[in-house]
Each structure stands twice: as structure tokens, then as C-alpha cells.
Amino acid sequence: MKISVIGCGRWGSFLAWYLDKSGHEVTNYGRASSEKYIELSSNRANSVVSYPPSIRLTSDLSEAVNRSEIIIISISAQNLRRFLS
């Protein structure tokens, strides 16, 4: 299944890693200006997981949404309204 995870924080990165390990085609989206996204895209790792080459990282929201059958949103509740706008 093609799944996109919106958010590169601890939960988002773990969910992307876990879904990939479960055999899904995973895209992980993060804002280009986000420190968490920058860390993942340059190191393919953070303090929680190391990404295999099979996980696609993108800062293009339309790419993440259009590539997927399922979208998981993993961002803080305080930012959800602004994100959905």
C-alpha cells in the first residue's frame, strides 16, 4: 500500500519507519524549513530511527498527497488548524 506520513517529528518518523518495515511504500513529508526535516533529509536519521533508502522524503505536500492511498497526519494539535488551511 502507498502511504504518506505528514510530519517528521518523533512520531511521524517512527510511523514512516515502521510502515516501511511492514512492507508499505512510504513517503514522509516535512516542511523544507523544519529542522527535523533538514536533519532527516541530510542524515536519513534522527534520534529515533535511521531511514532505509526505500523511504521517500519530500517537502512537496502535493507530491506526498498525490502519491498515496492513505495519509497519516502526525503533527502537533496546535499546528493542525494552520496546516489544514
Side-chain angles (χ1 to χ4, degrees), residues 2 4 6 27 60-69 71:
K2 294 180 179 181
S4 282
I6 308 299
T27 300
D60 182 350
L61 183 58
S62 63
E63 177 185 346
V65 170
N66 292 328
R67 289 180 54 85
S68 301
E69 301 166 279
I71 298 169

Side-chain angles (χ1 to χ4, degrees), residues 2-13:
K2 294 180 179 181
I3 302 174
S4 282
V5 178
I6 308 299
C8 288
R10 284 190 268 174
W11 276 112
S13 61

Side-chain angles (χ1 to χ4, degrees), residues 69-85:
E69 301 166 279
I70 294 175
I71 298 169
I72 297 172
I73 299 175
S74 180
I75 61 175
S76 65
Q78 296 86 342
N79 293 317
L80 184 60
R81 181 182 300 223
R82 184 175 46 158
F83 172 77
L84 292 174
S85 294

Side-chain angles (χ1 to χ4, degrees), residues 17-59:
W17 175 85
Y18 181 78
L19 291 165
D20 176 74
K21 291 292 184 194
S22 298
H24 300 285
E25 186 177 321
V26 178
T27 300
N28 192 193
Y29 164 81
R31 289 175 291 117
S33 61
S34 165
E35 290 179 25
K36 295 170 185 170
Y37 175 77
I38 293 167
E39 178 183 14
L40 274 173
S41 62
S42 51
N43 302 329
R44 296 204 56 87
N46 61 20
S47 63
V48 180
V49 295
S50 293
Y51 276 4
S54 53
I55 295 178
R56 181 180 185 89
L57 281 163
T58 185
S59 60

